[in-house]
Amino acid sequence: MNLSHDARARARSAWRALEHRFDVVFGAEANPLRHLGALGMGLFWAVALSGIYLYAMLDTSAAGAWRSIDALSRAPWSPGGLLRSLHRYAADAFVVVVLLHLAREWLFGRYAGFRRFSWLTGVSLLPLAFVSAIGGFWLNWDRLGQYSALATAEWLDVLPLFATPLARNFLGAASVGDRLFSLFVFVHLGVPLLLVFGLWFHLQRISRAEVFPVPSLALGSAVALLALAVAAPVRSLPPADLSSVAATLPLDWLLLFIHPLVEAASGEVTWVLLALALALLFALPLLPRRVPVAPVAQVDPLNCNGCRRCFDDCPYAAITMVPHPGGGPGRQLAEVAAERCASCGVCAGACPSSTPFRGIEALATGIDMPQLPVDALRRRLRDGLASMRSTCRFVVFGCDPGVRVDALAAPDVLAASLICTGMLPPSFVDYALRHGADGVLVASCRDGGCAFRLGARWTGERLSGRREPHLRDSVAPERWRLVQANAGEEAALAAALDELRRSVSRPAAAPAASAPTRIVGADESG
């Protein structure tokens, strides 16, 4: 492993450790580090809704804009004043979350292959977000807005785009009329509309995209923003005065970082730096990688009945339903788009023909993964249990990107690591118990930690009977467990297996057969 890969691996480990600490405080479901995309969308809606209110209060003329905004500043704890502060702080938080989201996806290598489209469309939104943010300061038309507008005009004048310099529009108070101010309004309101359209594209290849964080995370974010708005309300500076230049200004370094960068270097150097940064981000998915191309899911027309379960469960909208070549009114067949397929196997876990109880010698399913067919998993399970000589036998299912289940391999433990735990048909738990296993442990990633987005969620819902295909109610709940643990939490997995051993060794109480099996989280089991 070269130096860059080694450093990146250490950074991933440090990020995971930080996520685990946040899990203790917030829980995996409301951990902001695990749901940066959803949190970013929530902050965007907060900026948009507060902005709509502020636009209704704004006098969109050059002469009246500052007065209308300053009136809100003089009543900082009124509804309008609070929303004005919340609007600014939500914009700052949005930028931070978006950059963290970008860094996390890069750190975990989620920018190439089937994720290329989402990466490229997401990077395209970065300039739009900053353009909209900078334009917001112009609408205040105070000293900071004056500085930002003039600095932006001078920076744009570096490019040979306009016949006359844009900075000429700020030579005097008479130059800034309602027409120019209408341009300011368009920049701050029109660009966000393009941003919404771009977000729609960004989410096109993601099934069940989180366009709003879970209630607990949304409420916590709103409370934090409101507390900040109350504690440190945003106030207007004196009105713009083009006859003078302010000596010092309280700069928003998150949203207006471009201006000090231009002053520290030059307009030309800044353009080159930003162009190189964007070019590198766009080029990342196109760079050669030492990652083998995984086979895509394959559909067998003879066994696909068009039930649409794989279509519903695919995390990346890689499956569509088309008319079945065998004919029949309304009969459909699943079709896989190779460029979108994540090779996760979640579709195989959803297929009703993936049950191991079928009486055919070679188990053929409606949709399957060539690198790990369901039939190979059935044979491995059957032969492995038959070869074990222990008096008490356990099966542990896990996934390659998650916690290492092979660390539990022992004479009494058969460990099977799948592409994703979501590819495990629930009937395999029953099958293992009927073929000699005394207990079955299924290890899925924590909520928000699944490498394939929905694998952990579908696993939990299928085993708990909330999603088809589901585990039979006749399976004794004391004989299986679902533990949520990410890579590096092998100790938690071992603790869950020990707890399962104790549960199996105890005589089952009378009501135990109808009691639901508890899903154990890593922190709880450890």
Side-chain angles (χ1 to χ4, degrees):
M1 178 181 291
N2 61 40
L3 181 60
S4 62
H5 286 175
D6 189 43
R8 192 167 169 181
R10 289 197 300 270
R12 278 197 297 268
S13 298
W15 186 287
R16 287 195 179 103
L18 184 60
E19 286 183 338
H20 295 164
R21 293 189 182 98
F22 272 54
D23 284 339
V24 176
V25 179
F26 302 101
E29 187 182 38
N31 185 340
L33 294 183
R34 295 191 185 278
H35 302 277
L36 289 169
L39 180 58
M41 290 294 296
L43 291 169
F44 176 80
W45 299 130
V47 172
L49 293 176
S50 59
I52 291 173
Y53 176 88
L54 294 175
Y55 180 68
M57 303 292 292
L58 177 68
D59 182 342
T60 56
S61 67
W66 180 83
R67 288 195 300 268
S68 62
I69 296 297
D70 184 61
L72 299 178
S73 294
R74 284 186 275 105
W77 295 292
S78 67
L82 287 175
L83 283 177
R84 191 261 175 111
S85 298
L86 186 144
H87 185 71
R88 168 76 70 82
Y89 291 132
D92 288 330
F94 175 73
V95 168
V96 172
V97 169
V98 166
L99 293 179
L100 286 175
H101 179 55
L102 180 76
R104 185 179 190 268
E105 297 305 292
W106 169 80
L107 196 60
F108 287 92
R110 297 172 183 174
Y111 51 80
F114 63 93
R115 293 186 174 97
R116 179 183 302 171
F117 179 85
S118 297
W119 175 268
L120 293 177
T121 53
V123 170
S124 302
L125 299 178
L126 293 176
L128 295 178
F130 279 101
V131 168
S132 176
I134 293 173
F137 289 90
W138 306 346
L139 291 184
N140 296 337
W141 205 230
D142 57 4
R143 284 301 185 97
L144 184 58
Q146 171 192 337
Y147 163 75
S148 178
L150 181 57
T152 302
E154 292 174 342
W155 184 48
L156 290 173
D157 284 338
V158 172
L159 302 176
L161 298 177
F162 307 100
T164 58
L166 289 177
R168 289 172 59 91
N169 293 298
F170 304 98
L171 293 177
S175 303
V176 183
D178 291 347
R179 183 177 180 182
L180 182 60
F181 211 79
S182 296
L183 176 63
F184 294 172
V185 173
F186 171 77
V187 169
H188 190 54
L189 274 69
V191 175
L193 293 178
L194 294 177
L195 195 59
V196 172
F197 187 64
L199 284 170
W200 178 78
F201 265 99
H202 181 57
L203 301 176
Q204 276 300 291
R205 295 190 178 181
I206 300 177
S207 300
R208 292 176 169 81
E210 295 181 332
V211 296
F212 200 77
V214 295
S216 55
L217 183 54
L219 180 61
S221 304
V223 169
L225 290 173
L226 284 174
L228 194 57
V230 171
V234 175
R235 300 179 185 274
S236 293
L237 298 179
D241 182 3
L242 295 177
S243 64
S244 63
V245 177
T248 59
L249 290 170
L251 199 66
D252 188 320
W253 288 86
L254 286 171
L255 304 181
L256 299 178
F257 75 95
I258 197 70
H259 302 324
L261 181 59
V262 171
E263 293 176 1
S266 68
E268 293 84 353
V269 171
T270 303
W271 277 117
V272 171
L273 290 176
L274 292 182
L276 288 176
L278 280 175
L280 178 60
L281 291 174
F282 278 118
L284 274 178
L286 308 177
L287 297 177
R289 305 179 72 202
R290 299 178 182 177
V291 179
V293 178
V296 303
Q298 294 182 350
V299 178
D300 183 356
L302 297 179
N303 288 279
C304 177
N305 63 6
C307 68
R308 301 174 65 90
R309 289 181 186 170
C310 59
F311 169 81
D312 291 334
D313 285 8
C314 179
Y316 298 99
I319 299 175
T320 55
M321 304 304 297
V322 298
H324 200 288
R331 191 179 179 192
Q332 291 184 311
L333 176 74
E335 184 176 74
V336 180
E339 71 278 5
R340 300 185 184 186
C341 181
S343 302
C344 60
V346 171
C347 53
C351 185
S353 61
S354 295
T355 172
F357 290 106
R358 294 172 62 189
I360 55 178
E361 180 62 25
L363 179 57
T365 65
I367 189 167
D368 211 345
M369 301 308 300
Q371 68 271 45
L372 185 57
V374 174
D375 181 61
L377 181 61
R378 182 177 71 166
R379 283 188 280 105
R380 179 181 177 183
L381 192 61
R382 182 181 57 207
D383 298 345
L385 286 170
S387 63
M388 295 173 71
R389 296 292 179 260
S390 302
T391 56
C392 199
R393 293 173 285 184
F394 296 88
V395 175
V396 181
F397 293 107
C399 66
D400 295 338
V403 63
R404 291 177 53 250
V405 296
D406 57 351
L408 299 182
D412 65 336
V413 177
L414 175 63
S417 185
L418 312 177
I419 306 170
C420 172
T421 312
M423 76 170 294
L424 178 70
S427 51
F428 268 75
V429 175
D430 191 9
Y431 185 83
L433 294 174
R434 293 192 186 197
H435 282 75
D438 294 279
V440 175
L441 180 65
V442 180
S444 75
C445 297
R446 292 170 180 255
D447 182 48
C450 178
F452 303 105
R453 295 187 58 248
L454 301 176
R457 183 194 302 181
W458 293 164
T459 299
E461 292 187 5
R462 291 168 185 168
L463 292 177
S464 62
R466 293 176 290 149
R467 192 172 193 85
E468 295 292 342
H470 67 267
L471 185 63
R472 296 178 183 178
D473 295 335
S474 58
V475 178
E478 70 275 2
R479 298 183 64 189
W480 69 273
R481 290 291 186 277
L482 171 64
V483 60
Q484 296 174 334
N486 286 335
E489 297 184 292
E490 284 73 23
L493 187 65
L497 180 60
D498 291 340
E499 195 277 331
L500 179 61
R501 281 194 175 101
R502 292 191 295 270
S503 175
V504 170
S505 64
R506 292 193 298 266
S514 59
T517 295
R518 185 163 53 93
I519 298 178
V520 182
D523 296 314
E524 184 178 359
S525 62

